[in-house]
Amino acid sequence: MRDAFVTSAGEVLADPRSTIVLADISAAAFAPAAARHPDRVINVGIREQLMIGVAGGLALTGQRPIVHSYAPFLIERAYEQIKLDLDHQGVGAVLVGIGASYDRAAAGRTHVAPADVALLDTLDGWTVHVPGHPDEVRPLLRTAVCGTGSAYLRLSTRVNAVAYPEAGDLRVVRDAGPGAPLLVAVGPVLDAALDAVADRPVTVAFTHRPRPFDTAGLRALAGGEVILVEPYLAGTSTRVVAAALADRPHRLLALGVGRAELRRYGTPEDHDRWHGLDAAGLRRSVDAFLDPA
C-alpha cells in the first residue's frame, strides 16, 4: 500500500494545487517526485507538529496538501495542530498514515497507534479511508485529493486477497439471507472475518470508508445481531452503529484492538492473535456472541 501511495501521490502532483508535506518518513521514496516538483515536495525534518502547521498554511493559500508519516507521529503526536491548524482554521488536508495499528510493532510502542481513528473521531466532518488492498489506494487517494474537507487514508501492510476499489458504502461479499446476523468488516480484516464465519449463516459486508459510515446500508442489511470488526481500537464505530439502529432492538458485538497495554514487541501476526483479530480469535468471539451459554 505504501508503494501504491508513493506512485499515486507522484501522479497527483501533476495538479499544481497539490503539495506533499513530509517529516523525513518516506523522503527517499519521494525523491524522484521532489526532483520533478522541487517546490511542491516539502520535507520539514523530524518535526511532525510543524508538518501539520505547514499543511494548514498551504491550505489557507488554496493548496491541497498531502501529509504523510507513521500513524502515531501523524495523528497522535500532531493532534493539537490537526485540531487548530486544520479544523479550527476551516481548511482541509489529506493525511496519509502508514503503520496502522501495529504493522511496526517490532519497533516498539512509539510505532503502534490503534487509537488513531478514534482520536480523529473527536473532530467533526473527517472522511476516513481504510483500504484492504493496494489496488484500492490510488482511487481513494484521488477521491480524497479531489475533495475539499479533511481526510485520513490509513495504510497497512496487511491485505485482503481481493480488492474492492469502489466499495465506500457497505458491500455484501457473503449473503446469508434475510434476518441473518450481519458482520461488517473494515479494511484489511475482511479475509480473517470471512474465514471466521465460513460455516456459519452470517452475512458479511465490507467497507474501506468507515467515516462517514454507510448508515443507510447498515439499516438495510442489519437484522437483530450486528458484529463489527475493525483493525483499530475496538468499539470505535460503536456509537455510529448504535445511533443508526437506535429505533430497533439489536445486539452489537464490537471487535478490534484491545485497550490493554501489552508491553510486547512481536510481529503483526502476533498482535492479531493477542487481540483476537486472527480468524481463530474472531471465531471464538462470534461463537460466544451468537451461541451464549
Side-chain angles (χ1 to χ4, degrees):
M1 290 190 194
R2 185 179 189 173
D3 292 343
F5 160 63
V6 170
T7 300
S8 302
E11 296 170 353
V12 168
L13 284 175
D15 183 342
R17 297 180 305 116
S18 300
T19 300
I20 296 171
V21 188
L22 308 172
D24 267 3
I25 300 300
S26 299
F30 278 104
R36 295 192 304 269
H37 305 282
D39 57 335
R40 289 191 289 113
V41 178
I42 302 171
N43 183 6
V44 301
I46 308 174
R47 300 173 180 86
E48 288 82 6
Q49 293 95 335
L50 174 61
M51 176 175 64
I52 298 296
V54 168
L58 289 168
L60 284 169
T61 72
Q63 285 284 298
R64 186 65 167 156
I66 302 168
V67 191
H68 169 63
S69 188
Y70 273 94
F73 312 149
L74 178 67
I75 304 300
E76 294 178 331
R77 185 174 296 174
Y79 173 74
E80 184 176 15
Q81 282 66 42
I82 293 171
K83 179 179 70 175
L84 297 178
D85 295 345
L86 296 179
D87 276 32
H88 188 62
Q89 296 296 331
V91 295
V94 179
L95 310 188
V96 183
I98 55 174
S101 289
Y102 39 68
D103 285 354
R104 283 294 307 278
R109 187 63 172 90
T110 55
H111 286 64
V112 173
D116 52 348
V117 176
L119 192 56
L120 284 181
D121 225 13
T122 65
L123 304 174
D124 182 48
W126 277 73
T127 297
V128 177
H129 299 290
V130 184
H133 190 282
D135 289 350
E136 296 165 8
V137 173
R138 183 175 186 269
L140 290 178
L141 179 66
R142 295 183 73 86
T143 296
V145 171
C146 290
T148 56
S150 287
Y152 177 42
L153 184 58
R154 188 185 204 259
L155 308 183
S156 176
T157 60
R158 326 310 298 283
V159 300
N160 299 318
V162 177
Y164 297 101
E166 72 288 353
D169 292 341
L170 292 180
R171 176 191 179 105
V172 174
V173 295
R174 177 179 294 160
D175 189 352
L182 171 66
L183 186 153
V184 176
V186 178
V189 297
L190 174 61
D191 283 2
L194 286 169
D195 289 346
V197 298
D199 60 348
R200 296 206 62 134
V202 173
T203 293
V204 178
F206 169 77
T207 184
H208 50 50
R209 194 204 64 214
R211 295 295 182 278
F213 198 93
D214 178 18
T215 55
L218 176 71
R219 288 181 61 82
L221 295 170
E225 295 164 316
V226 178
I227 302 161
L228 183 63
V229 184
E230 299 178 279
Y232 34 80
L233 197 64
T236 297
S237 294
T238 296
R239 66 172 185 85
V240 179
V241 174
L245 301 177
D247 59 336
R248 300 184 186 179
H250 67 279
R251 298 170 61 229
L252 172 61
L253 173 66
L255 302 175
V257 180
R259 294 176 181 269
E261 185 62 63
L262 298 182
R263 298 183 177 87
R264 299 179 184 177
Y265 288 80
T267 66
E269 291 79 12
D270 289 331
H271 283 260
D272 282 345
R273 186 173 68 256
W274 295 333
H275 289 285
L277 285 175
D278 60 343
L282 292 174
R283 179 58 184 251
R284 289 192 297 271
S285 296
V286 170
D287 284 350
F289 178 66
L290 297 179
D291 303 318

